[in-house]
Amino acid sequence: MTVSTRFSAPKGVPDYVPPQSAQFVAVRDALLRAASLAGYGHIELPLFEDTALFARGVGESTDVVTKEMYTFADRGGRSVTLRPEGTAGVMRAVIEHGLDRGALPVKLRYSGPFFRYERPQAGRYRQLQQVGVEAIGIDDPALDAEVIAIADAGFRSLGLTGFRLDITSLGDDTCRPQYREVLQEFLLGLDLDDETRERARVNPLRVLDDKRPHIKELTAGAPLMLDHLSGSAKAHFDEVLGHLDRLGVPCTINPRLVRGLDYYTKTTFEFVHEGLGAQSGIGGGGRYDGLMAELGGQQLSGIGFGIGVDRTVLALEAESVAAAPSARCEVFGVPMGQAARERMVTILGDLRAAGIRADMAYGGRGVKGAMKAADKSGARIALMLGDRDLAEGTIGIKELATGEQRSVPLGDIVAEAGGTHA
Ligand code: HAM
């Protein structure tokens, strides 16, 4: 005797099932659309890559690399990692395919699952979904503003309003090393526990991101990167702010903004939604001017963002905004009898060919059961077809919201059903 086992999805890994999956698809597609309106071409990347790509690209001392990667040896003994983020893979592909030798900037958009072994909680998953863009090869503040405005427009096109955009500059390689020293000196002068002291040594900026109240208090007077920007980094940042202002994209300068990935330089930003609790970052990104060279490519700049699709869906829920129509179909067939059933199958084919979403009652249910299915389907109209209709060459159209019914010639059904198409 075999004992049957019920399986569940792995911990922290969401399924996307109807009807909620419609919202997921609507969010992903709206964000991708905002990117294609600005000329970003689609790139589809492998779900796993050489482990060293992420270690080098994302940063050896980041939480993502030290604690969160799904890394394993494949059957050939190579160390591979499920992609924790998209930017390193995009850079690898751009270099490998020589896109950086063509017209610049290279503008790319992508979407799909990413994998991080984090502690699962509301809005934090081990398989998360992102839509991202990267614009590579031109260091122009107007391009920074474009990237940020795409994310802003994507959110707004969904009807989302309760979010803010935090922005700062992390400086460039002419001012960051000096700032790092100043900050480190400040931090090492504080009364810190061993672990935090070690972090101050390895990655001092990360200490400014510490959420513990006593550390926040201790670091309240820490020197800020924004006060130590080089002339050119400052000019770049001011220009970005000017463009955003002209584009009507509101933002808040947050000099203590720290991102979890190490490749950022200059403009850095995060979209934060007020209604989400602890996991409030719905998207983030910035410039990464040293990344391509770090990965063996040319010395080219880049800027991009990653938006969390899951968190954007939660943000819409928090605002009670429905981004997707709830109806699975517009038209639902209710055949009465075998001949009507056969005819209904071809009618559905005609409706679908005309772009009308159509479904019918399968399984030989009686009229009552079939009408119940029609009501549940969310369709606007039911098509009522029985032997008498067939003999007369007609079909009944029932408005499901009002119960109103009329009879039309069978040959007109596509035009008639399409006519009720809102
Ligand atoms: P990130 O900030 O690590 O950036 O992730 C981007 C977004 O993905 C976050 O703002 C959040 O909405 C979502 N996200 C991250 N982790 C999780 C999780 N465990 N569960 C649910 N959602 C999550 C990047 O990944 C960069 N590659 C973005 C970028 C592109 N920077 C420049 N270009």
Side-chain angles (χ1 to χ4, degrees):
M1 198 178 76
T2 54
V3 179
S4 68
T5 315
R6 285 181 62 149
F7 292 102
S8 332
K11 198 167 169 227
V13 177
D15 287 312
Y16 303 88
V17 299
Q20 291 86 352
S21 54
Q23 190 87 335
F24 170 81
V25 171
V27 168
R28 183 195 58 198
D29 291 355
L31 297 171
L32 284 171
R33 204 174 313 120
S36 41
L37 284 173
Y40 288 68
H42 199 78
I43 185 165
E44 242 355 273
L45 293 164
L47 295 195
F48 62 90
E49 302 253 11
D50 188 330
T51 300
L53 172 70
F54 299 118
R56 190 125 53 91
V58 174
E60 304 272 6
S61 72
T62 58
D63 281 357
V64 169
V65 170
T66 55
K67 302 183 194 157
E68 297 170 3
M69 295 211 299
Y70 279 91
T71 297
F72 56 96
D74 72 6
R75 286 176 186 276
R78 301 167 199 89
S79 179
V80 293
T81 293
L82 299 184
R83 59 182 189 183
E85 63 98 50
T87 312
V90 169
M91 292 312 257
R92 195 265 312 137
V94 165
I95 298 168
E96 187 168 338
H97 298 281
L99 301 184
D100 53 325
R101 315 254 163 217
L104 299 178
V106 182
K107 288 177 159 190
L108 300 166
R109 52 163 225 182
Y110 53 88
S111 73
F114 296 87
F115 307 87
R116 296 183 189 178
Y117 194 80
E118 294 195 77
R119 199 165 43 79
Q121 64 178 78
R124 187 161 70 195
Y125 308 118
R126 289 183 173 166
Q127 179 178 302
L128 57 122
Q129 300 274 347
Q130 279 186 12
V131 166
V133 308
E134 314 292 348
I136 298 149
I138 301 276
D139 183 4
D140 181 344
L143 197 53
D144 303 32
E146 170 178 291
V147 164
I148 294 169
I150 289 169
D152 184 76
F155 290 134
R156 291 192 195 282
S157 75
L158 288 161
L160 206 64
T161 53
F163 64 90
R164 68 162 202 273
L165 164 62
D166 281 356
I167 190 167
T168 193
S169 172
L170 293 181
D172 55 26
D173 55 9
T174 67
C175 54
R176 190 137 55 149
Q178 286 94 313
Y179 167 69
R180 193 178 185 277
E181 265 177 43
V182 174
L183 177 63
Q184 204 162 42
E185 203 180 303
F186 171 87
L187 294 173
L188 295 176
L190 299 175
D191 181 19
L192 298 172
D193 56 272
D194 290 350
E195 200 183 319
T196 312
R197 179 164 289 272
E198 183 53 25
R199 194 168 316 135
R201 276 202 194 91
V202 179
N203 201 335
L205 263 169
R206 195 59 44 73
V207 180
L208 296 185
D209 195 30
D210 202 310
K211 303 283 186 295
R212 290 171 297 177
H214 72 283
I215 302 285
K216 272 183 152 177
E217 211 171 292
L218 278 174
T219 60
L224 298 171
M225 182 73 243
L226 277 188
D227 298 326
H228 291 78
L229 292 180
S230 66
S232 71
K234 166 121 185 44
H236 185 102
F237 188 51
D238 288 343
E239 250 192 80
V240 174
L241 296 178
H243 286 303
L244 288 176
D245 190 39
R246 283 185 288 281
L247 283 165
V249 175
C251 63
T252 309
I253 297 174
N254 177 357
R256 292 177 69 103
L257 175 65
V258 177
R259 306 261 305 129
L261 314 164
D262 269 357
Y263 46 62
Y264 292 112
T265 54
K266 295 200 266 197
T267 316
T268 308
F269 56 91
E270 213 154 66
F271 288 89
V272 179
H273 194 276
E274 317 289 351
L276 287 190
Q279 302 306 317
S280 59
I282 52 174
R287 210 161 245 297
Y288 42 84
D289 288 349
L291 183 59
M292 184 177 270
E294 181 65 37
L295 297 177
Q298 305 184 65
Q299 182 70 52
L300 284 182
S301 61
I303 174 146
F305 68 66
I307 293 177
V309 178
D310 309 279
R311 288 192 196 165
T312 306
V313 169
L314 292 173
L316 286 165
E317 264 169 35
E319 290 190 27
S320 304
V321 178
S326 58
R328 270 193 291 124
C329 60
E330 299 152 82
V331 178
F332 197 90
V334 177
M336 293 163 277
Q338 184 56 24
R341 176 170 309 280
E342 282 169 17
R343 188 61 207 275
M344 192 62 83
V345 170
T346 63
I347 292 173
L348 285 196
D350 293 343
L351 289 169
R352 291 169 184 165
I356 300 167
R357 282 178 291 136
D359 197 359
M360 67 180 265
Y362 287 107
R365 272 175 277 195
V367 186
K368 230 171 118 190
M371 279 314 294
K372 230 185 192 167
D375 282 329
K376 271 200 182 153
S377 75
R380 228 178 346 264
I381 57 174
L383 302 183
M384 316 293 296
L385 189 65
D387 289 339
R388 221 176 58 210
D389 300 293
L390 284 175
E392 290 172 5
T394 60
I395 184 165
I397 295 186
K398 185 170 182 174
E399 301 284 338
L400 285 164
T402 60
E404 207 179 295
Q405 192 166 332
R406 67 204 157 89
S407 191
V408 303
L410 252 177
D412 295 350
I413 189 58
V414 170
E416 290 285 344
T420 63
H421 199 71

